[in-house]
Amino acid sequence: MSTQAAPAKRQVRQLSESAILRAAERVFARAGFGGATMADIADEAGLPKANLHYYFGSKRELYRAVLGVTMQDWLAPLEAITPEADPAEALARYIRLKMALSAERPDASRVFANELIHGATVVMDLLRTDLRQQVRAKAAVIDAWIAQGRMAPLDSTHLFFTIWAATQTYADFDVQIRAVLGRETLRPADHKRATEHVVQLILRGCGLQVPGTAA
């Protein structure tokens, strides 16, 4: 194989796996793990079932991959929370990115929520390792900001639980939100309104000024 062909093949594989994962998100969100089939996911992805098995050997393997990628995508925005960062800007960025994920990838959030509701039998190891380690590390950053007088005293670990609840509800329980707002679907303006509300609510609770607003 030529040196140019190998990267091209990897890129094709990555694109195919990504398309399968997005299709699996939609099917698992609709049918749950028990109701979903590999044939349904293949149809959703527009691929022959044999191609699906080439990339993921079983439904459980694919389900775990969906959950793992979702957690990775949720953890990535935590990179904004660093000791040298401005607390208001870092937390606002984190919240906005989480809200964007809820708007852009609602099915992924629903699949993850359903997994947790049913006891997290597949991802418990990830919750106890990757998630716990990341939250402990970022909570330590927030505790340092508090000790430096850069934000109001609060429980840094429970702050993350609050942010997750406030942001993920727009994916997990969007049917409730749409019913109250009288919407068939949530519009970009609805997501913008919700995002600004959550940012302001959380930051003010932290004793912080929302970036870009007058004191």
Side-chain angles (χ1 to χ4, degrees):
M1 182 180 295
S2 70
T3 56
Q4 291 181 335
K9 187 174 181 180
R10 283 196 298 270
Q11 185 178 28
V12 169
R13 182 181 181 89
Q14 289 169 355
L15 289 172
S16 297
E17 289 182 352
S18 179
I20 291 169
L21 289 169
R22 296 294 86 77
E25 284 177 6
R26 296 190 291 273
V27 174
F28 285 132
R30 289 197 306 262
F33 177 76
T37 68
M38 292 293 268
D40 291 336
I41 295 168
D43 287 344
E44 185 74 21
L47 296 170
K49 187 178 175 182
N51 287 33
L52 195 65
H53 281 284
Y54 173 78
Y55 292 102
F56 298 95
S58 68
K59 182 173 76 168
R60 187 175 181 83
E61 179 185 339
L62 178 52
Y63 178 67
R64 184 177 176 83
V66 168
L67 295 169
V69 168
T70 300
M71 179 174 286
Q72 289 175 8
D73 291 344
W74 281 353
L75 290 176
L78 286 170
E79 295 175 358
I81 301 174
T82 61
E84 62 275 9
D86 175 77
E89 292 180 358
L91 289 173
R93 175 175 170 75
Y94 175 56
I95 295 165
R96 291 183 193 282
L97 288 171
K98 285 289 281 100
M99 288 292 288
L101 283 170
S102 287
E104 296 162 9
R105 301 266 305 287
D107 288 329
S109 184
R110 292 172 195 137
V111 174
F112 204 93
N114 197 46
E115 164 70 8
L116 299 190
I117 288 168
H118 288 86
T121 57
V122 174
V123 295
M124 183 59 77
D125 58 331
L126 294 177
L127 301 180
R128 288 175 170 165
T129 55
D130 295 11
L131 182 63
R132 185 166 186 261
Q133 291 165 9
Q134 284 274 17
V135 170
R136 290 182 71 180
K138 298 307 180 179
V141 172
I142 292 172
D143 287 337
W145 289 343
I146 293 169
Q148 295 161 8
R150 301 174 69 189
M151 58 183 285
L154 47 75
D155 187 312
S156 55
T157 300
H158 281 268
L159 173 62
F160 286 107
F161 301 153
T162 300
I163 292 172
W164 298 343
T167 56
Q168 288 162 224
T169 193
Y170 289 95
D172 302 342
F173 299 105
D174 83 310
V175 63
Q176 175 177 257
I177 294 167
R178 287 189 287 107
V180 172
L181 295 179
R183 302 276 195 266
E184 289 297 321
T185 59
L186 291 179
R187 303 174 303 192
D190 296 320
H191 285 293
K192 185 176 187 300
R193 173 186 172 191
T195 298
E196 295 312 312
H197 165 75
V198 175
V199 169
Q200 291 181 31
L201 185 68
I202 298 295
L203 263 60
R204 287 173 180 170
C206 295
L208 298 169
Q209 183 71 32
V210 178
T213 61

